[in-house]
Amino acid sequence: MRRSDMVHAEMVEPHPTYSLVVEMENAKSIDWDEVGIGLKALAREITTVPSAGLHRPKVVISHGGTDADAGSLRIDVRAVAPQLEQVADLIFTAFPGGRYYDLKNNGILATDGDIIIFTDSDVVAEPGWLSGLLEPFNDPEVMCVNGYTYLSYDDFFSRTFALIWFFPMAHGDKRFASKRAMNANNVGFRRDWIVDHPFPRHNGFKVSCTLLMRELQREGRTIRNVNARVYHYSPRGWRFFFWRALVTGRDADRKFVELKSPGRTQRVVKCFSRWFTMSWRTTRRIIGHAGRTGMPLWQTPFSLLVGLAFYSLAFWGQFSLATGLVSDDIEIVPDYVGHS
């Protein structure tokens, strides 16, 4: 075979078969205009990926309602993204009252592809996202591929969130992006592994990702970070701000217990060291990156105050759980939270 023919064959080689799981935790309260943008982007991405034979990918919408909600959800999806059913088999799975990771695990059961891609209803994929997640799986050593999620912004509050959040900025943030944690809204696994190692059940809000990543590392599995980009709609509102900050702190204590030590003294010491670390990180990031978001210079001090307030509340959440002032209850998302 000529070299040019070999190159062409490599270019058109199909990806492994895949399925997608889309978490839809608050199906009855979500903004369908926003969801429609994400689902249309998902349909576009599916059309750009070479198929394996006659394989049509499954898109599993995993929601927290009942099986009876499937019909109305299908109508809603058709209304905002009719093209999705043209390129994929749309499946609805219900886990009544299920929390975030419950829905992801429940969605796994309805998939059939070699690779499972996890995303959420409140993210929007950039062009090249799906192929960027799938291509590394051509290497048989790769077990997990972690994409790049960032927060969108359009006002003072959302810019501040983008600066202090757990995701890297959209641009100019290579150092933080290189150390980013696993994002359950933008990640892929080999199906045979994730079926046997689902997201761990835990009282915390966003702890299971950390535990699953540690499990991969303990087994010596290869995790590949790639530039497969989605943007996440920014959280909104002061009630969310207060709730999310306290949960962030409680989750930090839970992670320390799971990964380091359950001793109260060590946990309390960690509260103070983390408060200092996150306060310094917040100051550095807001001063260094505010201009890139288009934030006016006069707003920067106020953004810094908001960021420091967030991690002061997080400190109190962590300290109160570490000292036993509050009990380790299951974290439930309040009804007023849209994007978390």
Side-chain angles (χ1 to χ4, degrees):
M1 181 182 291
R2 292 179 301 173
R3 178 174 178 80
S4 60
D5 293 335
M6 292 174 64
V7 171
H8 177 71
E10 290 174 358
M11 291 176 62
V12 300
E13 181 181 355
H15 293 285
T17 61
Y18 67 94
S19 301
L20 299 107
V21 175
V22 181
E23 173 271 338
M24 196 174 283
E25 189 170 3
N26 296 319
K28 294 183 179 179
S29 60
I30 57 178
D31 184 330
W32 278 101
D33 289 335
E34 290 184 349
V35 172
I37 295 172
L39 294 181
K40 287 174 185 174
L42 187 60
R44 180 204 67 222
E45 288 299 291
I46 292 172
T47 63
T48 65
V49 173
S51 61
L54 300 176
H55 176 76
R56 244 170 88 93
K58 283 185 177 180
V59 173
V60 180
I61 307 291
S62 186
H63 61 94
T66 66
D67 290 331
D69 295 325
S72 61
L73 284 173
R74 188 178 294 275
I75 291 172
D76 289 333
V77 170
R78 283 175 179 165
V80 296
Q83 54 272 73
L84 188 57
E85 280 192 300
Q86 298 170 11
V87 298
D89 293 331
L90 201 54
I91 309 295
F92 293 86
T93 61
F95 192 116
R99 298 165 67 225
Y100 183 73
Y101 294 106
D102 294 329
L103 301 184
K104 292 189 178 292
N105 288 337
N106 195 49
I108 294 171
L109 304 178
T111 62
D112 61 359
D114 300 324
I115 308 301
I116 300 180
I117 304 296
F118 292 94
T119 187
D120 291 353
S121 59
D122 55 0
V123 302
V124 179
E126 290 189 1
W129 165 75
L130 185 55
S131 61
L133 282 179
L134 289 172
E135 284 173 3
F137 286 109
N138 290 324
D139 179 351
E141 295 298 316
V142 173
M143 189 61 65
C144 170
V145 178
N146 187 37
Y148 190 119
T149 302
Y150 63 93
L151 283 185
S152 64
Y153 49 80
D154 56 11
D155 59 13
F156 167 77
F157 203 65
S158 60
R159 286 185 175 91
T160 298
F161 264 122
L163 288 163
I164 70 172
W165 210 240
F166 324 106
F167 304 148
M169 300 289 294
H171 304 287
D173 207 5
K174 290 183 178 179
R175 183 170 176 268
F176 184 35
S178 67
K179 301 183 293 183
R180 67 186 183 273
M182 180 192 297
N183 297 320
N185 57 25
N186 184 8
V187 68
F189 296 91
R190 294 194 185 276
R191 187 179 191 279
D192 55 1
W193 190 87
I194 194 65
V195 166
D196 291 334
H197 304 77
F199 289 96
R201 293 185 64 84
H202 198 278
N203 285 359
F205 179 53
K206 294 290 175 71
V207 176
S208 297
C209 268
T210 300
L211 300 182
L212 190 63
M213 188 170 182
R214 181 56 60 92
E215 193 167 352
L216 282 160
Q217 293 168 340
R218 276 199 305 263
E219 292 188 5
R221 304 292 188 177
T222 299
I223 306 170
R224 185 78 54 83
N225 278 350
V226 296
N227 194 38
R229 290 170 163 257
V230 303
Y231 68 81
H232 189 292
Y233 288 110
S234 180
R236 303 284 183 182
W238 289 103
R239 288 194 301 172
F240 169 86
F241 177 90
F242 184 80
W243 172 80
R244 191 64 173 93
L246 292 174
V247 171
T248 296
R250 292 193 293 266
D251 276 356
D253 183 62
R254 292 175 176 118
K255 292 174 185 178
F256 187 81
V257 169
E258 294 285 349
L259 303 179
K260 299 294 184 179
S261 170
R264 289 209 184 273
T265 300
Q266 296 95 320
R267 291 162 65 185
V268 170
V269 170
K270 181 63 177 179
C271 294
F272 286 93
S273 66
R274 185 176 186 275
W275 188 14
F276 174 81
T277 299
M278 297 309 295
S279 296
W280 169 241
R281 172 185 173 274
T282 296
T283 302
R284 189 180 71 246
R285 288 183 63 76
I286 289 178
I287 292 174
H289 293 275
R292 291 194 179 97
T293 69
M295 179 178 289
L297 184 62
W298 67 268
Q299 289 184 357
T300 302
F302 299 101
S303 179
L304 182 57
L305 288 174
V306 171
L308 293 175
F310 183 92
Y311 284 106
S312 294
L313 285 169
F315 162 78
W316 177 249
Q318 185 175 1
F319 181 82
S320 60
L321 187 57
T323 56
L325 293 175
V326 299
S327 57
D328 186 10
D329 298 326
I330 295 175
E331 301 288 359
I332 304 296
V333 181
D335 292 338
Y336 55 78
V337 172
H339 309 303
S340 53

